[in-house]
Amino acid sequence: MEPERIGFEKKVLEIMGSRKRSKLAEKSWNESKKMWHIAGPAILTAVSQFSIGFVTAAFVGHLGQVELAAISVVQNVIEGFIYGVMLGMGSALETLCGQAVGAGQINMLGVYLQRSWIITGVTALLLTPLYVYASPILKLLHQSNNISELAGRYSTWVIPQLFALAFNFPIQKFFQSQGRVWVMTIISIVVLAFHVLLNWVLVTKLGHGMAGAAIAANISWWLIVLAQIVYVVSGYFPDAWTGFSLSAFHHLAAFVKLSLASAIMLCLELWYYTAVILLVGSLKNPDIAVDAVSICMNLQQWTLMIALGFNAAVSVRVSNELGAKHPRAAKFSVVVAVTTSALFGILFTAAILATKSDFPQLFTEKPVVIRETSKLAYLLAATILLSNIQPVLHGVAVGAGWQSLMAFINIGCYYIFGLPVGALLGYKFDFGVQGIWSGMLVGSLLQTVILLFILFRANWDKEALQAEQRVQTWGGPSEPQANG
């Protein structure tokens, strides 16, 4: 009788285990569908918008070696700096809008959007001198004179893009928080196709060179922004957008505080790559070194757009679930997003290693640049793998409102550890570009490990309570009356 009882209990345990696995699989599938509903179009949008700069660099790269280096320095140093500030300032909207949607306070979103526009517009105005004085700034940062002069001219031509970014990022967060992302995806894809045609006409056929590339980029970015604004004000968001309101000027101090924390967090991340470009620019043969690193970073940042789609998705999912007081659902969203994005990282890593001698030819025909770029393939592959995990962790931080903590982590891992190690390897031990990139990679790895530890130890019930307090403090119950 005893063996029969043991066999029966074993069978019961097997059935219970099977049901648990089935329930977990169903839960994972449902969460994955919610994630992809946001991540899919967000990835297409990010890839399309990033590809505007990618296409510009590809067309200019065939004009000459110095032209490619100049536009790469502008994109990675000047525009990289600005991109970080604007995206960071707009990311405050990601936290607040996502948690407001989870709490059911849709009416606050339009006012939040207008507040963010005010803040990013003023910020763009304050940052304009960086474009105007790009040439002396780059020389001060020890970049070569010929690259700095050409980069300075190009930088003044693309000032309109600065103000386009000021409007673009807040409106994207407005769309994403409500799961309405396909419209900006369609707009971005259509504009990208137009951008390729415009570059071919202005740069290749008419021979306007870098000036033609700048004009094409300005037109493309403003087409994206204007199309999105028209969609918002045309009545497609009856609950979230009820028109322009003076309420947008209320609670600005608290909004600026969160915006600055978001900007600092993200800027410290993006400036890390800018600092690497600057370190490389001080090596021997800077034209070749900058070209090689810029090509690798263009590819790394292109694959990063996939991870940024999951960044947006997990940020929305976490903020929505915390706003709705569902801490366990928020935690599960993190697991699904990190796992999925890491799988994409493995795929891209394999692709880079398989084409290490071929991918540089997308940007240049110079054998010496192709050879130097190919030497960085293994470091690039490792960076791509890591950068498909990091942005998802950052998305969790934004969704939960941990921007200030992230800023301190970035300072420690990148600027106190990563960059000094890179400079030591690159200059002191004479490993050049590979040494500088290795230092960057080590700093990124340290940051990822710390973030995973923090996520593992996080108290999600406490985060849900803080989300409720945040919605009340930075908008609160008075918002519907003000908007009405």
Side-chain angles (χ1 to χ4, degrees), residues 136-150:
I137 289 172
L138 292 172
K139 289 177 182 177
L140 191 64
L141 295 171
H142 303 290
Q143 303 303 292
S144 65
N145 285 337
N146 55 344
I147 292 177
S148 297
E149 290 292 340
L150 196 56

Side-chain angles (χ1 to χ4, degrees), residues 126-352:
L126 295 174
L127 292 174
T128 302
L130 289 178
Y131 281 74
V132 177
Y133 298 105
S135 182
I137 289 172
L138 292 172
K139 289 177 182 177
L140 191 64
L141 295 171
H142 303 290
Q143 303 303 292
S144 65
N145 285 337
N146 55 344
I147 292 177
S148 297
E149 290 292 340
L150 196 56
R153 289 202 298 273
Y154 180 80
S155 183
T156 57
W157 296 336
V158 295
I159 288 176
Q161 290 181 48
L162 166 61
F163 292 90
L165 292 176
F167 284 93
N168 181 59
F169 291 125
I171 204 169
Q172 281 193 358
K173 306 308 177 186
F174 177 83
F175 284 145
Q176 288 171 359
S177 65
Q178 300 169 83
R180 302 280 288 275
V181 284
W182 275 111
V183 62
M184 63 183 187
T185 302
I186 294 169
I187 290 170
S188 299
I189 291 173
V190 171
V191 171
L192 175 61
F194 176 73
H195 182 66
V196 174
L197 177 62
L198 204 55
N199 267 280
W200 179 75
V201 171
L202 294 174
V203 179
T204 304
K205 295 296 290 182
L206 298 181
H208 291 309
M210 292 181 69
I215 293 169
N218 291 339
I219 292 173
S220 298
W221 271 109
W222 272 104
L223 282 176
I224 289 174
V225 169
L226 292 174
Q228 290 178 150
I229 291 175
V230 168
Y231 185 77
V232 169
V233 302
S234 295
Y236 292 99
F237 298 90
D239 297 322
W241 180 270
T242 56
F244 294 97
S245 171
L246 291 176
S247 298
F249 293 92
H250 299 164
H251 305 290
L252 275 178
F255 210 95
V256 168
K257 181 180 178 181
L258 185 61
S259 295
L260 286 174
S262 299
I264 292 170
M265 179 200 82
L266 195 64
C267 285
L268 289 171
E269 179 81 21
L270 295 176
W271 295 346
Y272 189 42
Y273 297 97
T274 299
V276 171
I277 288 284
L278 294 175
L279 286 175
V280 170
S282 299
L283 293 171
K284 297 175 182 177
N285 300 318
D287 293 358
I288 297 172
V290 169
D291 281 354
V293 170
S294 298
I295 288 170
C296 289
M297 283 195 172
N298 263 303
L299 276 174
Q300 185 264 335
Q301 289 171 7
W302 186 84
T303 61
L304 181 65
M305 297 303 109
I306 308 296
L308 287 180
F310 290 104
N311 169 290
V314 76
S315 179
V316 171
R317 291 290 302 127
V318 168
S319 59
N320 284 175
E321 296 295 354
L322 290 178
K325 303 178 185 176
H326 298 152
R328 292 184 67 185
K331 186 176 181 179
F332 190 73
S333 296
V334 175
V335 175
V336 173
V338 170
T339 303
T340 308
S341 188
L343 290 174
F344 274 92
I346 293 170
L347 179 65
F348 290 135
T349 297
I352 289 295

Side-chain angles (χ1 to χ4, degrees), residues 14 74 87 202 209 287:
E14 288 177 354
V74 172
L87 180 57
L202 294 174
D287 293 358

Side-chain angles (χ1 to χ4, degrees), residues 309-455:
F310 290 104
N311 169 290
V314 76
S315 179
V316 171
R317 291 290 302 127
V318 168
S319 59
N320 284 175
E321 296 295 354
L322 290 178
K325 303 178 185 176
H326 298 152
R328 292 184 67 185
K331 186 176 181 179
F332 190 73
S333 296
V334 175
V335 175
V336 173
V338 170
T339 303
T340 308
S341 188
L343 290 174
F344 274 92
I346 293 170
L347 179 65
F348 290 135
T349 297
I352 289 295
L353 293 177
T355 62
K356 62 179 182 178
S357 300
D358 302 315
F359 71 80
Q361 297 177 43
L362 291 171
F363 296 88
T364 182
E365 299 166 354
K366 302 289 190 298
V368 63
V369 178
I370 293 173
R371 186 168 58 252
E372 288 301 311
T373 305
S374 297
K375 290 179 182 178
L376 297 173
Y378 290 102
L379 291 172
L380 173 61
T383 303
I384 285 175
L385 178 60
L386 208 55
S387 64
N388 270 270
I389 299 173
Q390 280 181 314
V392 181
L393 304 180
H394 296 167
V396 178
V398 171
W402 299 343
Q403 287 92 331
S404 297
L405 174 62
M406 280 294 302
F408 285 109
I409 293 172
N410 286 349
I411 289 173
C413 295
Y414 291 159
Y415 298 92
I416 296 178
F417 186 73
L419 285 178
V421 170
L424 190 66
L425 292 173
Y427 294 108
K428 181 68 174 178
F429 293 98
D430 204 26
F431 286 113
V433 177
Q434 291 174 310
I436 293 171
W437 195 302
S438 297
M440 177 190 74
L441 188 60
V442 170
S444 298
L445 179 62
L446 177 62
Q447 189 224 45
T448 303
V449 171
I450 292 173
L451 285 178
L452 287 171
F453 177 77
I454 291 172
L455 287 177

Side-chain angles (χ1 to χ4, degrees), residues 39-58:
I43 288 170
L44 292 175
T45 301
V47 169
S48 299
Q49 293 190 1
F50 174 78
S51 294
I52 291 175
F54 190 87
V55 167
T56 302

